[in-house]
C-alpha cells in the first residue's frame, strides 16, 4: 500500500523524472529536496498564458512532464488558420474557445492531469487570481499584454516586514517565450531578483513593429499591406462603420469590413493579393508561425518551469535566443536590469506634478491611476533633507493621518526634488517630486 501522495502507477508513468528528482548531484540548487520526488510536481500550480501556437505546446509539455494542476487563460477562439500548428484543435472546434478546447484535450489525453480553462483576457483577472500560482509561463503574441502581466507580477510583491522593506515576498517567476517565423526567444523573470530584469528593461530586445509612411498609404500604395494599413489607420476612423469604437482585430465583423474596403482600394490602384488572412495578419500584427520553432521554445520554457519548481538544475540566466533561419543556432546571455526602470529599477522615479496646489489625496489618485497601486493599502512617507522620514499617510492608520489628505504638497513640506517613498501591499516605489 502506498504511504505518500504519489501512487505506484504514477511512479511508473514518470519513472524517468523520478530518477532526476530523487538523486542529488553537482547541478542541484539551494532548496532541492531529494526526498520530495514527484510530490513537488503534483503540488505545483502553474498558469499558462495563451493557448495558441506556443500555448498548445506548453500545455502538452507540462502535462507530459508530470504537472497535474495547470490553468490556461486565453481570450481567442479557434480559426481554420490555427489548425496547421495548434495541434490540440480540430476542424470541429472552429469557433470555440482555445482555452476550453485545449483544456478538454489535455484532460482527456493525459491521465491524472487537471487543466482549468479561463476564456477571458488576462486583464479581466484580479491580483488574487495570479497570486495563487507558483510559476507563470507565457506564450503571448504581443508586447502590450506582456507588459501588463509583468506589471501585475511586480505589483504582487510585498515587503517581508516594515523593518526590512527591501526584502520581498510573494515572488512569482515568469517564463516568457516568443517566436517569429524561424526565430524564437525565451526569458526568465524573477521579480525582485537583482540578476533578472523585467519586461520593461528588455523592451529594446523586441523587434520593432513594421510601419509605413503615411504619404505612401494615402497617395502611392504599392503593396497589399499598404491598402490594409490605409483602411485600418485612416478609413476606419473616417467612416466609423460601427460607430465610434476602436478597431478590434478579434472581431470577425470588423475584420471583414477592413478586408472589403482594402480590396476596393487595391482594385483602384491595380494591386493584387489582398486576402482575408493577410488582412488579419496586418491588423493584429501577426507574423507567420513555424511549428518547429514553437515546439523548441515551448520545450525550453517548460524546462525552466521544471527547474524553478524543483531546483534540480540552475535556472536560465536569463535570456535565450534561437535562430533556425540558417541552420540551428542558439545562445544565452545575461540581460541587465535597468536601474531607472519604472517597474523594477532601484533609482527613484521622477513624478511630474502639474500644480503646487495638488493635495496629497490628488497625489494618491495619480499613483493609483499610473502605477496600479491600491488606495486602500497605500502608505506614503517623505525623506527629509536631514535624512529623517515623516509619515504622511497610512491606510492602516487612516484616522490619525487622514487630515493630511486635504493638504497641498507644499503644506506637507514636499518641495521640488523631494524624495518620497510609497508602499502598498503590492508594490514599494521611490519617487522624486518634480513640479512642472
Amino acid at each position: 500500500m502506498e504511504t505518500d501522495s504519489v501512487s505506484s502507477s504514477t511512479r511508473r508513468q514518470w519513472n524517468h523524472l523520478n530518477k532526476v528528482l530523487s538523486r542529488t548531484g553537482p547541478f542541484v540548487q539551494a532548496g532541492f529536496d531529494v526526498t520530495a520526488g514527484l510530490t513537488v510536481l503534483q503540488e505545483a500550480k502553474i498558469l499558462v498564458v495563451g493557448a495558441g501556437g506556443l500555448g498548445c505546446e506548453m500545455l502538452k509539455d507540462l502535462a507530459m512532464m508530470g504537472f497535474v494542476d495547470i490553468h490556461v487563460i486565453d481570450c481567442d477562439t479557434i480559426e481554420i488558420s490555427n489548425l496547421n500548428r495548434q495541434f490540440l484543435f480540430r476542424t470541429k472546434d472552429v469557433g470555440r474557445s482555445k482555452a476550453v478546447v485545449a483544456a478538454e484535450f489535455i484532460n482527456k489525453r493525459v491521465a491524472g492531469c487537471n487543466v482549468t480553462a479561463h476564456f477571458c483576457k488576462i486583464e479581466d483577472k484580479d491580483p488574487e487570481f495570479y497570486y495563487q500560482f507558483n510559476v507563470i509561463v507565457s506564450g503571448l503574441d504581443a508586447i502590450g499584454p506582456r507588459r501588463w502581466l509583468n506589471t501585475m507580477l511586480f505589483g504582487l510583491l510585498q515587503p517581508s516586514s516594515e523593518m526590512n522593506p527591501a526584502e520581498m515576498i510573494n515572488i512569482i517567476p515568469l517564463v516568457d517565450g516568443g517566436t517569429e517565423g524561424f526565430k524564437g526567444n525565451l526569458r526568465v523573470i524573477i521579480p525582485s531578483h537583482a540578476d533578472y530584469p523585467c519586461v520593461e528593461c528588455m523592451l529594446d530586445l523586441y523587434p520593432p513593429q513594421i510601419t509605413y509612411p503615411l504619404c505612401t498609404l494615402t497617395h502611392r500604395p504599392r503593396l497589399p499591406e499598404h491598402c490594409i494599413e490605409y483602411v485600418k489607420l485612416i478609413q476606419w476612423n473616417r467612416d466609423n462603420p460601427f460607430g465610434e469604437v476602436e478597431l478590434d482585430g478579434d472581431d470577425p465583423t470588423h475584420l471583414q469590413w477592413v478586408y472589403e474596403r482594402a480590396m476596393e482600394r487595391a482594385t483602384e490602384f491595380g494591386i493584387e493579393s489582398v486576402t482575408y488572412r493577410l488582412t488579419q495578419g496586418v491588423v493584429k500584427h501577426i507574423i507567420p508561425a513555424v511549428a518547429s520553432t514553437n515546439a523548441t521554445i515551448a520545450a525550453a520554457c517548460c524546462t525552466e518551469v521544471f527547474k524553478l519548481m524543483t531546483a534540480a538544475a540552475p535556472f536560465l540566466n536569463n535570456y535565450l535566443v534561437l535562430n533556425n533561419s540558417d541552420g540551428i543556432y542558439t545562445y544565452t546571455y545575461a540581460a541587465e536590469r535597468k536601474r531607472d526602470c519604472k517597474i523594477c529599477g532601484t533609482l527613484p522615479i521622477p513624478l511630474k506634478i502639474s500644480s503646487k496646489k495638488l493635495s496629497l489625496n490628488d497625489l494618491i489618485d495619480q499613483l493609483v491611476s499610473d502605477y496600479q497601486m491600491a488606495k486602500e493599502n497605500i502608505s506614503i512617507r517623505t525623506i527629509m533633507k536631514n535624512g529623517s522620514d515623516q509619515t504622511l499617510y497610512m491606510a492602516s492608520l487612516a484616522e490619525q493621518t487622514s487630515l493630511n489628505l486635504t493638504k497641498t504638497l507644499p503644506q506637507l513640506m514636499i518641495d521640488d526634488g523631494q524624495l518620497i517613498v510609497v508602499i502598498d501591499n503590492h508594490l514599494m516605489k521611490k519617487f522624486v517630486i518634480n513640479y512642472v
Side-chain angles (χ1 to χ4, degrees):
M1 180 178 292
E2 292 294 325
T3 59
D4 56 29
S5 61
V6 183
S7 66
S8 58
S9 60
T10 300
R11 289 188 185 280
R12 289 193 298 271
Q13 184 177 6
W14 311 118
N15 183 54
H16 54 299
L17 289 174
N18 197 41
K19 291 178 180 178
V20 174
L21 298 176
S22 60
R23 302 173 183 176
T24 188
F27 298 112
V28 299
Q29 303 297 292
F32 179 78
D33 184 0
V34 71
T35 66
L38 294 171
T39 304
V40 68
L41 303 182
Q42 305 283 313
E43 296 179 351
K45 197 168 189 176
I46 310 298
L47 174 64
V48 176
V49 182
L54 273 175
C56 285
E57 292 281 355
M58 290 172 177
L59 287 169
K60 175 260 295 180
D61 290 347
L62 290 171
M64 297 299 291
M65 195 175 277
F67 293 97
V68 299
D69 190 358
I70 306 170
H71 289 239
V72 58
I73 182 169
D74 196 301
C75 65
D76 280 346
T77 54
I78 300 166
E79 301 177 6
I80 287 289
S81 60
N82 301 147
L83 302 183
N84 69 324
R85 64 194 182 282
Q86 298 174 22
F87 57 90
L88 301 183
F89 311 140
R90 301 294 183 265
T91 304
K92 64 181 176 61
D93 301 320
V94 171
R96 296 185 64 202
S97 160
K98 287 185 177 181
V100 171
V101 174
E104 291 175 351
F105 190 103
I106 296 295
N107 290 339
K108 182 178 179 181
R109 188 66 177 269
V110 182
C113 186
N114 180 32
V115 180
T116 304
H118 303 274
F119 179 34
C120 61
K121 296 180 179 180
I122 59 173
E123 296 88 349
D124 293 341
K125 295 295 186 180
D126 59 20
E128 292 300 319
F129 171 78
Y130 294 99
Y131 176 75
Q132 64 183 305
F133 299 104
N134 299 107
V135 179
I136 295 177
V137 56
S138 164
L140 293 165
D141 58 1
I143 296 175
R146 279 187 171 94
R147 298 177 70 180
W148 186 93
L149 184 60
N150 177 74
T151 303
M152 168 61 73
L153 294 183
F154 275 84
L156 292 177
L157 295 176
Q158 295 184 24
S160 61
S161 67
E162 292 185 3
M163 300 297 295
N164 189 10
E167 182 179 338
M168 294 292 178
I169 57 175
N170 297 344
I171 300 170
I172 302 176
L174 171 64
V175 181
D176 178 45
T179 62
E180 284 189 340
F182 289 100
K183 299 179 181 179
N185 58 70
L186 153 66
R187 71 209 76 213
V188 174
I189 298 168
I190 303 179
S192 85
H193 196 299
D195 294 331
Y196 288 80
C198 73
V199 169
E200 293 290 325
C201 296
M202 297 185 282
L203 285 180
D204 293 342
L205 298 178
Y206 291 97
Q209 292 184 351
I210 299 174
T211 59
Y212 303 102
L214 191 59
C215 59
T216 299
L217 302 181
T218 307
H219 302 294
R220 300 184 301 275
R222 298 183 301 275
L223 301 172
E225 290 86 351
H226 293 166
C227 301
I228 299 168
E229 281 285 332
Y230 174 84
V231 177
K232 171 188 170 184
L233 299 177
I234 300 173
Q235 196 168 346
W236 177 271
N237 292 324
R238 185 189 69 196
D239 295 354
N240 292 324
F242 301 95
E244 294 185 0
V245 297
E246 292 186 7
L247 175 60
D248 184 354
D250 294 319
D251 189 326
T253 59
H254 288 198
L255 285 174
Q256 184 65 30
W257 188 89
V258 174
Y259 166 61
E260 291 173 358
R261 301 295 86 72
M263 282 286 291
E264 292 171 1
R265 186 165 180 79
T267 301
E268 178 184 351
F269 287 90
I271 299 172
E272 299 179 350
S273 301
V274 172
T275 64
Y276 183 87
R277 186 173 182 180
L278 179 63
T279 301
Q280 185 181 44
V282 172
V283 171
K284 298 178 66 175
H285 300 288
I286 295 174
I287 297 173
V290 176
S292 59
T293 309
N294 286 338
T296 305
I297 293 298
C301 287
C302 293
T303 300
E304 293 305 317
V305 173
F306 178 83
K307 292 190 291 184
L308 285 164
M309 284 307 308
T310 64
F315 321 138
L316 176 69
N317 185 23
N318 47 49
Y319 191 83
L320 177 146
V321 175
L322 170 72
N323 190 337
N324 288 338
S325 298
D326 302 299
I328 300 177
Y329 174 67
T330 185
Y331 65 95
T332 67
Y333 68 91
E336 296 184 1
R337 171 179 287 188
K338 291 184 177 180
R339 294 182 62 208
D340 60 348
C341 175
K342 67 180 182 180
I343 301 299
C344 72
T346 56
L347 293 179
I349 301 170
L351 190 61
K352 296 181 180 180
I353 303 300
S354 58
S355 171
K356 290 192 175 183
K357 295 182 180 180
L358 197 74
S359 69
L360 180 61
N361 193 55
D362 294 331
L363 175 63
I364 292 175
D365 288 341
Q366 181 175 336
L367 293 169
V368 169
S369 173
D370 295 346
Y371 297 94
Q372 293 79 49
M373 295 186 175
K375 188 171 184 177
E376 62 273 14
N377 298 321
I378 206 166
S379 66
I380 300 180
R381 73 176 193 269
T382 180
I383 307 298
M384 310 303 288
K385 293 181 179 179
N386 61 6
S388 63
D389 64 272
Q390 174 188 358
T391 298
L392 302 178
Y393 178 77
M394 186 176 296
S396 59
L397 299 174
E399 185 176 344
Q400 295 91 325
T401 58
S402 59
L403 291 177
N404 287 334
L405 291 174
T406 57
K407 295 180 180 179
T408 64
L409 301 187
Q411 288 174 338
L412 294 168
M413 308 300 292
I414 299 180
D415 301 321
D416 194 21
Q418 184 81 40
L419 178 66
I420 65 170
V421 179
V422 182
I423 302 175
D424 73 6
N425 287 347
H426 302 311
L427 191 66
M428 185 190 80
K429 279 296 178 184
K430 295 180 179 179
F431 296 88
V432 174
I433 296 291
N434 291 329
Y435 291 107
V436 294

